[in-house]
Amino acid sequence: MKKSDLQKESTENQSGPAASVLLEAFDISHRSLFKLSLSVDEYYGNSHPLIDDDAYRVQQQIRFMTGVIFDLKGKQDQKFHNEYDDKGALLHSHTIHADGTIIDG
């Protein structure tokens, strides 16, 4: 999914698995490489190399990642789109929170 596609999406809450994070990794051509579901605890506590490991992203040829975080009731808390360079480092992040707050970084 391209950043512009994420920005066009509605900021309305969607429903999903309670206390979970759904991630999808994409290559340079925006082809989906894989999807991953983590508990919120695992996402914030133990994490995953997709989130925290530049070398892993290079090895897997990951250049973009999208994610949706659902709260304890299964309501969408936030969604985000990250873009990475060819060394796996974060270039840009775009996050939309349930209250409509948008953070670009």
Side-chain angles (χ1 to χ4, degrees):
M1 176 181 293
K2 295 179 183 175
K3 178 182 165 191
S4 59
D5 294 337
L6 180 70
Q7 289 174 324
K8 291 176 188 174
E9 289 183 23
S10 170
T11 57
E12 292 179 21
N13 279 351
Q14 299 174 0
S15 295
S20 67
V21 181
L22 305 179
L23 303 172
E24 187 167 7
F26 299 87
D27 68 11
I28 190 72
S29 299
H30 297 278
R31 286 185 299 247
S32 178
L33 298 170
F34 61 87
K35 295 179 181 181
L36 180 66
S37 178
L38 303 171
S39 71
V40 168
D41 290 340
E42 186 177 5
Y43 176 75
Y44 285 112
N46 301 331
S47 196
H48 186 277
L50 172 60
I51 302 158
D52 291 327
D53 189 338
D54 294 356
Y56 175 83
R57 288 189 291 270
V58 170
Q59 178 186 31
Q60 299 296 318
Q61 301 180 350
I62 297 166
R63 295 299 289 270
F64 304 95
M65 177 180 64
T66 60
V68 181
I69 301 174
F70 296 97
D71 67 15
L72 292 172
K73 295 181 180 179
K75 297 274 187 181
Q76 182 180 299
D77 185 49
Q78 65 178 264
K79 61 184 169 183
F80 58 89
H81 178 274
N82 294 343
E83 180 178 352
Y84 303 96
D85 67 16
D86 61 350
K87 293 179 177 45
L90 182 65
L91 286 174
H92 184 262
S93 179
H94 178 81
T95 304
I96 302 172
H97 293 269
D99 66 2
T101 303
I102 297 174
I103 299 174
D104 278 309

